[in-house]
């Protein structure tokens, strides 16, 4: 191990995250990956890494020390130089619920099922599938490529766009109207598995008689209570609650970054509109739309 990070102090949950691990849903393994992919991409690209390189997802203040070599370090896309033996801090999040810290070369932890990110629900990836603690050591990969300036600001107050369905027939006739015309707030019980939203209940037309089916990130599941649960990166791979709508890929981050108490409003778009929006956003990840699959 030629270069590494040492965790000096963890003032809140922090873990290793990357672009996720695709292709294992059929084995019960969710894709995981960064809660806010845009911010992971900004942090990585500003130190010359590929957008999906393993970095630190921090929910509180984190104190670190760099060993073995000097390197460019980035917090939320703002890059600075740290010399060998130098300490640096990741401040607690302010605007959003999380920050990302990337180091030139990325975190060189072993890949598990094609990814290095932590998947706490399965206890794999990162360091033993858990959050970081004082004394942990994180190896670094080889130096990155050209550094890039971070992109625009993620609009955390904007409407979240959804594609309606697939279970519209399992809801009451005014459920879509309630969803699109109401304001919801992020519950403090939200986590990487799902974001719970407080607001008006959405009426169902059945008593949960639907069969269990595959789930995806962004699905708006509605249990019998009428509460909206938006599935996150660590979502269960199957579920039986009906799904009223699905958050489009381009809006995963602008929703997931919101802190408890933040307002959420939804707007419906077509599948074609969702694809066009994603094509426009793909350059954030430094890849053509067809190449960005997570």
């Amino acid at each position: 191990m030629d270069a590494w990070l040492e965790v000096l102090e963890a003032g809140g949950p922090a873990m290793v995250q990357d672009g996720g691990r695709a292709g294992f849903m059929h084995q019960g393994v969710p894709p995981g990956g960064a809660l806010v992919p845009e911010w992971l991409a900004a942090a990585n690209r500003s130190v010359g890494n590929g957008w999906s390189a393993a970095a630190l997802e921090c929910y509180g203040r984190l104190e670190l020390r760099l060993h073995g070599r000097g390197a460019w370090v980035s917090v939320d896309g703002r890059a600075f130089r740290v010399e060998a033996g130098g300490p640096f801090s990741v401040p607690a999040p302010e605007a959003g619920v999380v920050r990302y810290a990337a180091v030139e070369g990325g975190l060189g932890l072993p890949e598990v099922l094609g990814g290095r990110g932590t998947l706490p629900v399965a206890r794999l990836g990162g360091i033993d599938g858990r959050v970081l603690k004082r004394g942990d050591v994180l190896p670094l990969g080889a130096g990155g490529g050209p550094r890039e300036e971070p992109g625009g600001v993620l609009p955390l107050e904007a409407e979240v766009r959804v594609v309606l369905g697939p279970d519209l027939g399992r809801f009451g006739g005014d459920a879509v109207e309630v969803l699109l015309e109401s304001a919801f707030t992020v519950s403090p019980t939200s986590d990487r598995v799902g974001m719970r939203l407080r607001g008006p209940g959405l009426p169902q037309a059945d008593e949960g008689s639907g069969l269990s089916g595959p789930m995806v990130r962004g699905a708006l599941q509605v249990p019998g209570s009428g509460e909206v649960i938006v599935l996150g990166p660590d979502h269960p791979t199957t579920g039986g609650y009906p799904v009223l709508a699905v958050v489009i890929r381009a809006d995963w981050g602008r929703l997931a970054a919101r802190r408890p108490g933040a307002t959420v409003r939804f707007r419906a778009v077509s599948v074609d509109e969702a694809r066009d929006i994603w094509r426009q956003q793909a350059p954030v990840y430094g890849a053509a739309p067809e190449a960005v699959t997570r």
Side-chain angles (χ1 to χ4, degrees):
M1 185 164 51
D2 296 328
W4 67 97
L5 290 181
E6 175 190 1
V7 178
L8 302 177
E9 198 67 50
M15 67 185 76
V16 177
Q17 282 301 341
D18 59 9
R21 42 176 62 82
F24 296 96
M25 289 268 286
H26 64 294
Q27 297 180 5
V29 180
L35 186 71
V36 186
E38 296 91 337
W39 288 352
L40 172 72
N44 270 319
R45 294 178 66 190
S46 66
V47 295
N49 297 339
W51 84 267
S52 62
L56 297 172
E57 183 174 274
C58 309
Y59 296 81
R61 186 176 181 85
L62 188 65
E63 303 288 340
L64 301 149
R65 187 182 300 277
L66 175 64
H67 294 274
R69 62 172 168 86
W72 285 97
V73 174
S74 166
V75 176
D76 293 346
R78 296 182 292 274
F80 52 93
R81 185 76 183 176
V82 177
E83 298 306 323
F88 65 95
S89 300
V90 182
E94 295 178 356
V97 72
V98 68
R99 288 187 188 274
Y100 289 88
V103 181
E104 180 184 2
L107 301 178
L109 292 160
E111 287 193 0
V112 180
L113 298 179
R116 295 184 169 92
T118 308
L119 188 60
V121 295
R123 297 184 180 179
L124 61 81
I127 295 183
D128 300 328
R130 60 167 171 80
V131 298
L132 300 178
K133 63 183 181 180
R134 184 177 182 179
D136 280 341
V137 172
L138 302 163
L140 298 180
R147 296 186 297 113
E148 301 180 31
E149 291 295 324
V153 176
L154 191 63
L156 299 186
E157 302 301 324
E159 292 177 314
V160 176
R161 293 161 292 194
V162 298
V163 174
L164 296 176
D167 299 323
L168 296 180
R170 295 179 62 187
F171 289 90
D174 59 346
V176 171
E177 180 180 349
V178 173
L179 177 71
L180 301 180
E181 295 185 1
S182 302
F184 299 84
T185 58
V186 178
S187 167
T189 60
S190 302
D191 57 22
R192 285 179 50 87
V193 175
M195 174 183 281
R196 294 180 178 268
L197 299 179
R198 292 174 173 172
L202 300 182
Q204 293 189 19
D206 64 22
E207 297 298 327
S209 59
L211 297 175
S212 181
M215 289 293 119
V216 295
R217 179 171 182 176
L220 273 66
Q221 278 194 324
V222 184
S225 64
E227 178 187 35
V228 177
I229 304 172
V230 186
L231 298 186
D234 295 353
H235 64 82
T237 56
T238 61
Y241 295 134
V243 174
L244 182 59
V246 180
V247 176
I248 70 172
R249 173 64 179 83
D251 282 4
W252 285 357
R254 72 164 65 177
L255 174 63
R258 301 183 196 202
R259 302 170 68 90
T263 299
V264 179
R265 289 184 177 273
F266 294 102
R267 177 165 65 87
V269 298
S270 69
V271 172
D272 287 341
E273 288 176 303
R275 288 171 176 162
D276 288 341
I277 294 167
W278 177 235
R279 291 189 186 99
Q280 295 170 20
Q281 185 169 325
V284 170
Y285 303 93
E290 295 77 10
V292 182
T293 59
R294 297 184 176 94

